[in-house]
Structures are given as C-alpha cells and as structure tokens.
Amino acid sequence: MAVSFTTSVKKMIGDRVPESAALKPHHVLSKSGAFSRFRNIHASWNHNMDGSVIPVFFKVAALVLRGKLKFPDASPPTVAVRKPTFLSSRRASKDLRATWLGHACYYVEFPSGLRVLFDPVFEDACAPVSFLGPKRFTERPCSISEIPIVDAVVISHSHYDHLSAPSVHEIKKHHPGAHFFVGLGLEKWFRSCGIDKVTELDWWEDADVTLTPNAPPAEAKSAPITARFSCLPAQHSSGRTGFDKDKTLWCSWGVSSEGKSVFFGGDTGYRAVPESIEGDDYAPEHADLPVCPEFKQIGALRGPFDLGLIPIGAYSPRFIMSSVHANPFDAVEIFRDTRCKRAMGIHWGTWVLTFEEVLEPPRLLREALGRRGIEETGVFDVCDIGESRDF
C-alpha cells in the first residue's frame, strides 16, 4: 500500500521580488479605499479590454459576416490523443516528467516525489452549463480517477477553460489530500465548493510546502518532500459571470521541488497589437510595440526554470486577442524572458476558442523559433495529448 502524506503549507512574501511589488499596482481601490478589482498596469495591455465584452462580440460578428473571419475546421484528424503512462512510484525517475492532458492541463511528476496538476478541466464543454460553450474536438486522454497521485493543484485564473467545478469535485473525491493553490480572491469560491485545503496568493507571494509521510520513517522508507509554489504575474483577466469581472486574480506560477523547477504560464498576453497592423506584427517595423515587462522580472528574480509550460493558442483575431492570449511568437519571447531551459506549448488543441486553424499554433511555433535561431524541436516543443516528456 502506498504511504500517505500530510501536507503543511507556510505562506510568505517572496524573498526575490521587484521593488514595485509592495505597492501592489495591480490592485484597484474604490473611492472609499476598499478593494474593488484587479487590473493590468502596463502599456502592453489594450485598455479597451477593460470594459464590456459586448462591443468585442459585435466586432467579431461583423468580421464573420463580411467573410474576414472563418470558423476553423476541427473535424478529425487533428491532435493525436494517447493513453498516458504515469510513473510507478514517487521516486521512480531522476527526471522531471510532464504529461499533457489537453488545453492548459499538465500533470508534472517531480523526481522529489511531488505530483502537481495544473489547470485541470476534464469536461467536454468549457462553459457554465454543459450544453453551452465550445465542445472538445479531441478526446480526454484519461479521467481524474486514473491519475495515481495528486498532491497539489495549481489554478491560473477563473475562466471556464481553466477552472471547472465538476473537475474540482472529482479531484476532491479521488484525491482528498490534494491542496489547491489559487490567485487572490479565489479561495472563497473553493470553500463554497466544500474544499478547505486551499491557499490563495498574490503576485510574488510564495507558499513553502512539506509533505510528511504518515507512517513511521522506518516503515514508510520515505523522507518528507519539500516544494515552493510561487504566484507570479500574468497579463489577462478573470470572471465566471457577468458580475465578477476581474474580481479575482489571474496568475502565472513557479513550482520548485528539491532542485527541479517549472514555470506555468497559464493564460496570458504579451503585447497589445492595434487593429491598424495587419499580417506579421513581429516584422521589424513593429519592434517598438510595448511588451509586458513582468516576464523578464520573473526570469531575473525566479529563473531559470527547467521547464516552461507556455500558452501558444487562441490568438485570432490578433487585434482583439493579443492583450490576453499569447501567439507562438509571443510565446517564444516569454520563453526567453522567463529563462526557461526547455518548454512545451499549452492552451491549444482541445477547444475552438478563436479563429486560427486548430493546427496552426505548432506550425507558427516552429517559425517563431527559427526566427530566434532556436532549435525547432527539443527546446520548445509540442506533443500528443496524453504524451509524457522527461526533462
């Protein structure tokens, strides 16, 4: 029988933070001084995205009606799906092992024995109710019950393609010891779901975690496992209803455990591209577009990382989506800024969320890597859903 572990969490301000972090410029206060919401603070954000989504909807609808946008064909074959193979025990490998479970969901097995699940959404539809919203065009590679161990779950933000109530309840059912790490403001939602093993963090805050075997050491033959979970900035938004826009924090994350580290980009934009720019916005004449400086800070203060899980999809039309979703060219810059040694592409291949062809992200990723003189395979790569890679 596998030894069970007790998880203890110590929350703290990170010891390597930018000077501006103490001012919390991403917090918005009301006139009374009470907290109101969160915001994106850099010139890389298009502030037209701060308001209602209705004008955006009508602009996209107009482009579709004029034939300038076409819905992508998601009929098979698209991304291959295979049954995942997980490690046989906690200390079965000296490598970091990462398995893509679709969209932004990754399962990472650390050589320390730590097992972390990132942004798990196992439903067919990423929507408030199952008959609304985009439907999967690739199958789930497995169920939550088939994942052998989940010590921690990391959530980037509250949008339905990254946070699923049914999946959260399934994790609680099959992995009752799992501890959830979330951005500021989301703890209340988890507690309303009956989950009390949850820690919320602000940008640049850390949580030190110790997993202690419940059996006596001689019997358990297992030492405690230690890890650090770091809540880090991203450029995005949040909301699950029409009344809670930006009330909870969107984040990227760093997770390190006994010598191995992962950067999880979650869902983020990198720079806002205006509507006046058509075609290649990474052409030399557009080099002056502002980029989000947070990623270089992450790399300088928390890097390097052994593995980056970096979003590459859901970016068309570019002038609307660029503030919130990285395209492959952005992803390569995030990879470089955060000082990841290697990376895998996430946030593609599962739901049709935007208008690019469903297999375009990996194709453009190869082009973006080539422009930067980076090897096209093995450094920043993509894989089949359900496939594992060692790092």
Side-chain angles (χ1 to χ4, degrees):
M1 181 180 293
V3 175
S4 62
F5 285 71
T6 298
T7 302
S8 61
V9 179
K10 182 181 179 182
K11 182 175 169 180
M12 56 204 254
I13 301 295
D15 54 2
R16 289 175 294 164
V17 303
E19 293 181 4
S20 61
L23 300 175
K24 300 189 182 302
H26 57 294
H27 290 217
V28 177
L29 303 180
S30 65
K31 291 181 179 179
S32 66
F35 171 76
S36 173
R37 62 182 180 88
F38 298 98
R39 64 177 178 176
N40 294 285
I41 60 175
H42 299 294
S44 54
W45 172 257
N46 177 0
H47 289 281
N48 291 332
M49 299 293 291
D50 289 336
S52 169
V53 299
I54 294 175
V56 173
F57 173 82
F58 280 111
K59 182 163 281 192
V60 170
L63 291 171
V64 171
L65 290 172
R66 297 205 307 266
K68 292 193 173 183
L69 284 178
K70 294 183 179 180
F71 291 98
D73 180 9
S75 57
T78 54
V79 184
V81 181
R82 62 175 74 177
K83 196 73 173 176
T85 302
F86 303 112
L87 294 175
S88 58
S89 66
R90 284 188 182 270
R91 304 274 184 174
S93 175
K94 294 182 180 179
D95 295 322
L96 191 72
R97 186 173 175 84
T99 305
W100 186 34
L101 300 179
H103 198 53
C105 182
Y106 250 90
Y107 180 69
V108 178
E109 299 166 285
F110 286 78
S112 67
L114 179 72
R115 302 291 184 259
V116 182
L117 190 58
F118 294 88
D119 276 6
V121 178
F122 283 73
E123 281 60 60
D124 287 335
C126 54
V129 290
S130 60
F131 57 85
L132 292 176
K135 299 293 192 292
R136 281 182 182 267
F137 63 84
T138 46
E139 296 293 323
R140 290 177 296 169
C142 67
S143 66
I144 289 171
S145 63
E146 293 175 290
I147 301 174
I149 303 168
V150 178
D151 297 311
V153 182
V154 171
I155 303 295
S156 63
H157 67 296
S158 68
H159 287 157
Y160 284 91
D161 57 324
H162 295 260
L163 175 59
S164 159
S167 291
V168 165
H169 286 295
E170 280 289 296
I171 292 168
K172 181 185 177 184
K173 175 183 176 181
H174 295 288
H175 303 283
H179 197 96
F180 289 79
F181 293 89
V182 304
L184 209 60
L186 264 179
E187 181 177 342
K188 181 180 178 181
W189 183 91
F190 277 83
R191 293 194 181 277
S192 73
C193 293
I195 293 171
D196 56 4
K197 295 177 180 177
V198 56
T199 297
E200 69 173 24
L201 299 173
D202 200 353
W203 290 351
W204 301 107
E205 289 183 339
D206 296 334
D208 281 348
V209 174
T210 303
L211 276 66
T212 305
N214 290 326
E219 180 182 340
K221 298 180 181 179
S222 179
I225 298 168
T226 59
R228 173 168 288 186
F229 289 74
S230 301
C231 182
L232 299 169
Q235 180 174 288
H236 200 60
S237 63
S238 66
R240 294 177 72 78
T241 71
F243 305 99
D244 64 344
K245 180 173 169 54
D246 298 345
K247 295 289 188 179
T248 62
L249 187 59
W250 48 95
C251 321
S252 64
W253 290 85
V255 180
S256 60
S257 182
E258 301 176 21
K260 288 288 187 178
S261 59
V262 172
F263 170 73
F264 177 61
D267 199 353
T268 186
Y270 185 67
R271 61 178 195 161
V273 177
E275 189 172 1
S276 59
I277 295 179
E278 296 183 2
D280 182 8
D281 56 84
Y282 270 92
E285 60 267 29
H286 305 311
D288 60 346
L289 286 179
V291 305
C292 182
E294 306 277 9
F295 297 104
K296 280 195 174 179
Q297 290 182 328
I298 290 169
L301 296 170
R302 300 302 178 89
F305 297 92
D306 294 293
L307 172 64
L309 303 174
I310 300 175
I312 63 170
Y315 48 78
S316 175
R318 183 77 164 135
F319 74 94
I320 292 174
M321 303 309 301
S322 57
S323 275
V324 291
H325 287 166
N327 78 355
F329 292 90
D330 298 326
V332 170
E333 299 310 304
I334 293 171
F335 167 73
R336 298 173 73 244
D337 287 354
T338 53
R339 299 174 62 206
C340 293
K341 297 175 184 176
R342 293 172 68 185
M344 298 298 293
I346 63 171
H347 205 260
W348 73 286
T350 307
W351 292 286
V352 172
L353 301 176
T354 47
F355 289 86
E356 73 273 6
E357 297 175 16
V358 297
L359 293 177
E360 183 180 274
R363 187 168 68 246
L364 288 188
L365 178 61
R366 291 191 294 272
E367 182 181 337
L369 290 167
R371 287 196 192 182
R372 279 297 188 181
I374 301 171
E375 290 182 43
E376 291 187 4
T377 58
V379 177
F380 191 163
D381 214 345
V382 297
C383 66
D384 295 345
I385 295 173
E387 183 179 351
S388 300
R389 296 282 180 93
D390 294 333
F391 301 91

